[in-house]
Amino acid sequence: MEAAAGCASRIGLAGLGVMGQNLALNIAEKGFPISVYNRTASKTEETVRRAQDEGGLPLTGHATPKDFVLSIKRPRAIVMLVKAGAPVDSLISSLVPFLEPGDAIIDGGNEWYENTERRLEDAASKGLLYLGMGISGGEDGARHGPSLMPGGHKQAYTNVKPILSKIAAQVDDGPCVTYVGPGGAGNFVKMVHNGIEYGDMQLISEAYDILKHVGGFSNDELAQIFKAYNQSELESFLIEITADILRVPDDFNGSGSGEQHLIDKILDKTGMKGTGKWTVQQAAELAIAAPTIAASLDSRYISGLKDERVAAESALEQAGLKLDPIRRYRIDAERRLINDVHKALYASKICSYAQGMNLIRAKSKEKGWKLNLGELARIWKGGCIIRAKFLDQIKKAYERNPNLANLIVDEEFAREMVDKEGAWRRVVKFAVNSGVCAPGMSASLAYFDAYRRSRLPANLVQAQRDYFGAHTYERVDRPGSFHTEWARIARELKSNEGPN
């Protein structure tokens, strides 16, 4: 099974699915001899063949955990890319008997951060080092340069930094990898990254929906619109691939009615792997408002109710709902709608990223991780799914003020929000009037409107809580907590007023 045999490998990788294979080949291509192992031997053999086919890359395959571990130069570093949860514990158990103090285990999966902290403590008790490393960029990123978010034992990161710095995506200010922080910081940051990704994808889908069903644009026109968006401050991986997706024809179209696009044939039910849900749960536990991300999660849940939605459309039409979701507005001709959606999408995206960053900051404060938000924005500039042009602005915002309360109030982003606010409101109004749901944009606008107001109607909520539960309230004009006998006073007032 071995190939490119010679000196001991510099690093090992266990778990040879698509991501694992591609990351292993990336490491080997950068000149680092690597050993690979998979419980299913055929995967190992396949990886070895790929290494040979790509020019005899320095990669060796091993059939047993013992041979795999002993083939790696000390201090050993082993990357695991297997499904989160029990499979990780099982793989660790198979490797630990052959590891020695100072060796490092690196989990590259989307793991729950508390599991990483548990494993880190267990590894430390055996003299081993441990990292939980978020990897973003999909299979292409793994092969050609991902964004890497390692957290845990800093010595483990130091040992593999030369490798990670070479295999990560490269941008103008360095490789897209950094030591995120201690404990489960790397996994937590990757989790929030995925939550932001949920929000980003939802907002783009809403822009598509509004342009298609409010503006009446064809798929070919939409492809050109998103291509133009990608040449502006909206430039990002997700905008770029959206333009590509909208152009692809349907190869299975046999209706004889002319060329159709694949996008129109895809079932409108969205899958998910759990990190978006974890992000929203953590936001709730930390009392951080993340309505854009939550709206994206709710939208995925509703998308899963396909049969119910089909039945609801029919039932409401029979009940008299006449609103046609395809209103085909032509607002000041087409150009204004395109420009308005552009601005609404950008402003909404700022809110989504702001919510994610605030969640990371809150967890960092709770755990004492001391995370550098500007550096996190920097390593997301390349390789990862949410890479975008404006991440450089986010990095600079946190460089100007590391304690920035919210991206919305950064001097540059504040000007952006003010500039785009009018278009943002028009787009949300047009969507509502057309019966086209835009929960992400609406939630982002509501978040902006709530955050920018110095006084909210929460005073009434506090009064209600005190009325029925004696929860007390604070006053704006004097310190302390207060309770009012609202019911008694109301009865007295009614009694004094007499009968109507």
Side-chain angles (χ1 to χ4, degrees):
M1 185 183 294
E2 292 194 3
C7 61
S9 293
R10 177 66 178 82
I11 192 170
L13 190 147
L16 297 172
V18 174
M19 284 287 290
Q21 287 191 25
N22 283 357
L23 192 66
L25 293 170
N26 183 1
I27 293 170
E29 186 180 57
K30 299 302 187 297
F32 300 100
I34 180 171
S35 295
V36 298
Y37 165 75
N38 196 82
R39 188 176 62 176
T40 304
S42 61
K43 289 289 186 181
T44 307
E45 293 166 358
E46 179 184 332
T47 308
V48 170
R49 283 195 300 272
R50 286 186 64 188
Q52 287 300 294
D53 292 343
E54 295 190 23
L57 299 177
L59 179 148
T60 59
H62 300 271
T64 68
K66 180 178 180 180
D67 290 344
F68 168 64
V69 171
L70 296 182
S71 71
I72 304 166
K73 181 181 177 181
R74 294 202 63 215
R76 301 181 181 94
I78 295 176
V79 178
M80 303 182 299
L81 273 167
V82 296
K83 187 177 179 180
V88 176
D89 290 314
S90 177
L91 180 55
I92 291 172
S93 296
S94 73
L95 300 175
V96 163
F98 313 109
L99 295 172
E100 300 174 71
D103 291 348
I105 299 172
I106 304 168
D107 180 9
N110 281 327
E111 185 57 271
W112 175 239
Y113 82 98
E114 289 182 341
N115 286 342
T116 293
E117 296 193 329
R118 167 179 59 80
R119 292 171 186 141
L120 189 148
E121 291 181 5
D122 187 58
S125 71
K126 298 177 175 67
L128 302 175
L129 305 176
Y130 198 92
L131 288 176
M133 182 171 71
I135 302 175
S136 180
E139 58 186 86
D140 185 69
R143 181 64 184 86
H144 301 292
S147 174
L148 302 171
M149 294 154 259
H153 287 130
K154 192 167 187 179
Q155 185 59 51
Y157 174 72
T158 300
N159 291 349
V160 295
K161 182 179 178 180
I163 299 175
L164 300 185
S165 297
K166 287 287 187 180
I167 68 169
Q170 307 293 314
V171 293
D172 56 355
D173 48 7
C176 293
V177 61
T178 192
Y179 174 69
V180 172
N187 289 123
F188 190 88
V189 166
K190 176 56 164 58
M191 177 198 75
V192 176
H193 162 287
N194 286 16
I196 294 171
E197 180 183 310
Y198 271 50
D200 221 348
M201 295 171 73
Q202 176 64 28
L203 292 170
I204 293 169
S205 74
E206 291 174 16
Y208 152 78
D209 199 21
I210 291 166
L211 289 166
K212 186 177 182 71
H213 293 129
V214 179
F217 294 100
S218 70
N219 289 323
D220 288 330
E221 289 172 326
L222 289 169
Q224 290 302 312
I225 291 169
F226 278 95
K227 181 179 178 181
Y229 284 175
N230 200 49
Q231 295 168 351
S232 70
E233 70 266 70
L234 281 173
E235 179 186 335
S236 67
F237 172 72
L238 287 170
I239 295 287
E240 178 184 0
I241 68 170
T242 298
D244 289 344
I245 288 167
L246 291 166
R247 296 178 62 244
V248 174
D250 176 25
D251 289 340
F252 293 96
N253 174 36
S255 64
S257 58
E259 184 177 276
Q260 297 184 13
H261 290 83
L262 179 57
I263 186 66
D264 296 323
K265 300 298 182 181
I266 296 175
L267 183 66
D268 52 323
K269 290 176 66 173
T270 307
M272 66 191 81
K273 292 186 177 179
T275 46
K277 181 175 73 174
W278 291 348
T279 303
V280 174
Q281 288 172 334
Q282 281 294 291
E285 289 189 15
L286 292 165
I288 297 296
T292 310
I293 299 172
S296 72
L297 185 65
D298 287 341
S299 294
R300 293 195 182 200
Y301 291 149
I302 292 174
S303 79
L305 305 176
K306 176 66 174 179
D307 293 341
E308 292 182 33
R309 290 187 287 113
V310 170
E313 181 179 282
S314 176
L316 291 170
E317 284 182 355
Q318 291 178 23
L321 182 65
K322 301 299 184 182
L323 185 64
D324 181 357
I326 305 178
R327 295 294 291 273
R328 300 192 183 282
Y329 281 92
R330 297 290 182 177
I331 304 119
D332 287 356
E334 301 162 350
R335 193 52 49 189
R336 179 171 177 185
L337 180 60
I338 294 171
N339 187 55
D340 279 356
V341 170
H342 179 169
K343 291 182 177 182
L345 179 55
Y346 186 80
S348 297
K349 281 162 68 76
I350 291 172
C351 291
S352 182
Y353 281 71
Q355 293 160 29
M357 288 301 196
N358 286 352
L359 177 54
I360 292 172
R361 184 182 61 181
K363 178 59 73 171
S364 176
K365 183 176 181 180
E366 178 192 73
K367 302 287 287 187
W369 286 340
K370 299 181 180 178
L371 304 187
N372 184 329
L373 299 184
E375 180 68 353
L376 297 181
R378 186 194 69 78
I379 67 170
W380 291 344
K381 286 169 58 178
C384 72
I385 302 301
I386 65 170
R387 60 184 183 267
K389 183 177 181 179
F390 77 172
L391 278 163
D392 196 57
Q393 288 179 258
I394 294 177
K395 182 196 77 167
K396 291 175 180 176
Y398 286 112
E399 287 175 347
R400 284 191 291 271
N401 181 5
N403 298 314
L404 183 65
N406 194 302
L407 286 173
I408 290 172
V409 297
D410 169 73
E411 57 189 39
E412 288 193 9
F413 281 119
R415 286 194 293 269
E416 298 266 23
M417 302 300 276
V418 171
D419 174 68
K420 292 168 174 56
E421 180 219 6
W424 195 5
R425 295 187 190 282
R426 284 194 296 272
V427 168
V428 170
K429 180 182 72 174
F430 296 149
V432 170
N433 288 343
S434 304
V436 172
C437 59
M441 288 188 183
S442 300
S444 296
L445 182 57
Y447 176 78
F448 171 74
D449 281 339
Y451 194 77
R452 71 180 176 82
R453 290 185 62 190
S454 61
R455 186 164 176 81
L456 292 169
N459 54 327
L460 178 57
V461 174
Q462 280 300 91
Q464 291 169 335
R465 294 179 71 242
D466 189 53
Y467 190 117
F468 65 69
H471 293 294
T472 75
Y473 56 88
E474 296 176 272
R475 294 178 59 100
V476 297
D477 55 353
R478 63 192 66 189
S481 296
F482 298 85
H483 169 61
T484 295
E485 294 182 7
W486 302 90
R488 178 185 60 78
I489 295 173
R491 285 194 300 270
E492 292 175 356
L493 290 171
K494 291 175 183 176
S495 175
N496 293 334
E497 290 169 356
N500 291 333

